Amino acid sequence: GAGVSQTPSNKVTEKGKYVELRCDPISGHTALYWYRQSLGQGPEFLIYFQGTGAADDSGLPNDRFFAVRPEGSVSTLKIQRTERGDSAVYLCASSFSGAQYEQFFGPGTRLTVL
Amino acid sequence: GQNIDQPTEMTATEGAIVQINCTYQTSGFNGLFWYQQHAGEAPTFLSYNVLDGLEEKGRFSSFLSRSKGYSYLLLKELQMKDSASYLCAVREGTGRRALTFGSGTRLQVQP
């Protein structure tokens, strides 16, 4: 079956602009996660949704970052007033809701802020 | 918070066995995961340990000691395609789902 999909695969923007990154999880997965990964580092947790609600947003670095999942499926990560330090690969993952289930990652969106 | 340590790079020979270690410090352990990540690709799940002991899955095995804050990933009969980064990730706290990842171990398999 289809895996986690993310669009766009690459996004280049200018400092100060607004960007939206989309994630389409595996069908039937109620849990959805956003991470970001810088070169040579492991993924860094941003936010976790259970259904439509953000169950844990403790990883969002500041109020420029916001994410939604209005119908409990597709999610959008929104970044306002982008900064060069926001450049990274943004990874989305999904899973079933139990703690024992692994997270399946999408291919990521490479964001470059010039 | 959590501190996760794993070696930055390792090199091994095709057909051999390699062990990748991971140590962690956490205030409330709730599971450890290993992921494989090829360059430019998404991490893919390898194993999950929540109780002490060894979990075996084909050529890959993972071990956990909660009292020592220690895990290892064992790869047997190495193949060239095993060249990748191996990420150790810990989940902290009951009810939390977020994973905290180490920086990864880049494994190079040589002929």
Side-chain angles (χ1 to χ4, degrees), chain B residues 9-29:
Chain B
E9 290 187 0
M10 297 183 71
T11 302
T13 304
E14 192 176 15
I17 299 173
V18 70
Q19 177 175 313
I20 302 174
N21 295 324
C22 171
T23 58
Y24 62 89
Q25 294 175 312
T26 179
S27 57
F29 177 82

Side-chain angles (χ1 to χ4, degrees), chain A residues 7-8 11-22 64-66 76-83 86 90 109 111-113:
Chain A
T7 55
K11 177 70 178 179
V12 180
T13 191
E14 294 180 342
K15 180 176 178 296
K17 299 291 188 182
Y18 168 83
V19 296
E20 290 189 352
L21 311 179
R22 176 190 167 105
R64 296 187 297 105
F65 288 74
F66 188 71
T76 305
L77 179 66
K78 308 180 181 191
I79 310 175
Q80 298 177 325
R81 305 182 304 280
T82 51
E83 299 177 357
D86 298 335
Y90 287 79
T109 293
L111 175 67
T112 302
V113 182

Side-chain angles (χ1 to χ4, degrees), chain B residues 26-44:
Chain B
T26 179
S27 57
F29 177 82
N30 191 23
L32 186 143
F33 294 77
W34 284 95
Y35 280 81
Q36 179 191 61
Q37 186 174 30
H38 286 96
E41 297 183 9
T44 55

Side-chain angles (χ1 to χ4, degrees), chain A residues 35 37 41 56 99 103 106, chain B residues 35 37 42 91 96-97 99 103:
Chain A
Y35 294 82
Q37 186 173 25
Q41 301 296 315
D56 182 354
Q103 299 176 21
Chain B
Y35 280 81
Q37 186 174 30
R91 186 168 56 211
R96 287 205 78 207
R97 295 290 180 265
L99 297 180
S103 295

Side-chain angles (χ1 to χ4, degrees), chain A residues 20-100:
Chain A
E20 290 189 352
L21 311 179
R22 176 190 167 105
C23 172
D24 203 335
I26 293 171
S27 178
H29 281 186
T30 56
L32 185 146
Y33 314 78
W34 284 99
Y35 294 82
R36 70 177 175 181
Q37 186 173 25
S38 300
L39 193 63
Q41 301 296 315
E44 174 193 10
F45 170 74
L46 296 175
I47 188 169
Y48 153 59
F49 286 89
Q50 182 57 47
T52 60
D56 182 354
D57 64 358
S58 61
L60 294 177
N62 52 59
D63 60 7
R64 296 187 297 105
F65 288 74
F66 188 71
V68 296
R69 194 186 186 199
E71 298 178 357
S73 178
V74 171
S75 175
T76 305
L77 179 66
K78 308 180 181 191
I79 310 175
Q80 298 177 325
R81 305 182 304 280
T82 51
E83 299 177 357
R84 293 194 179 87
D86 298 335
S87 296
V89 176
Y90 287 79
L91 294 166
C92 177
S94 70
S95 74
F96 292 113
S97 61
Q100 72 274 27

Side-chain angles (χ1 to χ4, degrees), chain B residues 79-96:
Chain B
Q79 302 174 11
M80 298 299 290
K81 68 178 182 179
D82 296 330
S83 292
S85 285
Y86 290 86
L87 299 164
C88 173
V90 173
R91 186 168 56 211
E92 179 181 30
T94 305
R96 287 205 78 207

